[in-house]
Amino acid sequence: MKHYSLPPLTQMHSPNQSKRTHPELGVQMIAVHDPEGYWKGTISTIMSARAEVSYHAFLKADGKECIQFVPWNRKAWACRVYNSVTENLCLEGFYNKPYDDYALHVFARMVAFRLKKRGLPATAVLPGMVSTPKGKGFTQHKFLGTLGGNHKDFVNTDAKWKAFADMVKAEYKYGHFRKTWGRSN
């Protein structure tokens, strides 16, 4: 199986971030998103204080560029109640359109890297597991339900979610991660 590299990471400081509310709980999940928008428009939204939305990192649709908007140890504003216990990674695109295969693999590598750095398992957290002791790993935004903002992203079929989850697990198992990528404060 081919393995992928993390892209260069540009730093931009979104005003839409804050301290984690309950840092003693730690990050429990990596939540994956799509912005239902394009690169430039999404960047503009994340950089606007009026929008009150952000992600920790946003990967371009071609998988070759990424921006970190919020340091890993701070709270991004992406999934309401779960903001303090999630890291939020986003891939440019739309829920009902196919993603570039290369970008999807790079995105899986990003998720696996952040899971490893957080000491979290490569477990795909499904609806019903989110607020339980089994709710550690990675999930898609839509599985967070009403408390997560009631969004429908990341993918629109169970088969696509399973395929992505398998990519994350393969990258996690492969390992060979760099020491750092992005900033924590």
Side-chain angles (χ1 to χ4, degrees):
M1 176 181 176
K2 181 179 177 183
H3 294 281
Y4 296 80
S5 298
L6 297 173
L9 189 62
T10 303
Q11 297 292 321
M12 293 180 83
H13 184 82
S14 173
N16 306 317
Q17 60 176 288
S18 54
K19 291 181 181 178
R20 293 190 184 272
T21 310
H22 295 285
E24 71 279 1
L25 296 176
V27 169
Q28 306 288 309
M29 289 179 288
I30 306 300
V32 296
H33 306 259
D34 75 62
E36 292 297 301
Y38 294 106
W39 185 249
K40 288 183 180 179
T42 300
I43 292 168
S44 179
T45 299
I46 293 169
M47 295 305 290
S48 168
R50 291 181 56 198
E52 297 185 348
V53 66
S54 62
Y55 305 104
H56 287 90
F58 178 44
L59 181 65
K60 193 169 185 176
D62 64 7
K64 296 178 182 174
E65 292 180 59
C66 193
I67 298 172
Q68 183 179 17
F69 290 104
V70 178
W72 306 123
N73 289 336
R74 296 202 31 100
K75 178 171 67 173
W77 301 352
C79 50
R80 292 186 46 196
V81 171
Y82 293 101
N83 286 338
S84 278
V85 295
T86 56
E87 272 188 18
N88 295 279
L89 305 180
C90 186
L91 172 59
E92 176 189 12
F94 297 85
Y95 172 78
N96 61 355
K97 292 185 179 179
Y99 297 101
D100 176 87
D101 189 58
Y102 175 80
L104 207 52
H105 279 87
V106 170
F107 196 50
R109 181 78 177 165
M110 286 171 55
V111 173
F113 174 80
R114 292 309 305 158
L115 287 167
K116 190 64 90 169
K117 289 297 178 186
R118 287 283 181 188
L120 294 170
T123 301
V125 178
L126 302 172
M129 293 172 57
V130 170
S131 295
T132 71
K134 293 182 180 179
K136 290 188 178 186
F138 65 100
T139 194
Q140 56 179 319
H141 193 184
K142 74 178 179 181
F143 290 167
L144 300 175
T146 304
L147 295 175
N150 212 27
H151 291 252
K152 62 183 180 182
D153 61 305
F154 166 65
V155 292
N156 62 1
T157 69
D158 291 343
K160 288 178 183 177
W161 175 245
K162 183 182 179 326
F164 180 73
D166 288 346
M167 289 179 203
V168 171
K169 291 173 187 177
E171 288 293 341
Y172 189 92
K173 183 177 179 181
Y174 172 70
H176 301 283
F177 295 109
R178 61 176 64 189
K179 288 186 180 188
T180 62
W181 187 65
R183 66 185 214 274
S184 292
N185 343 2

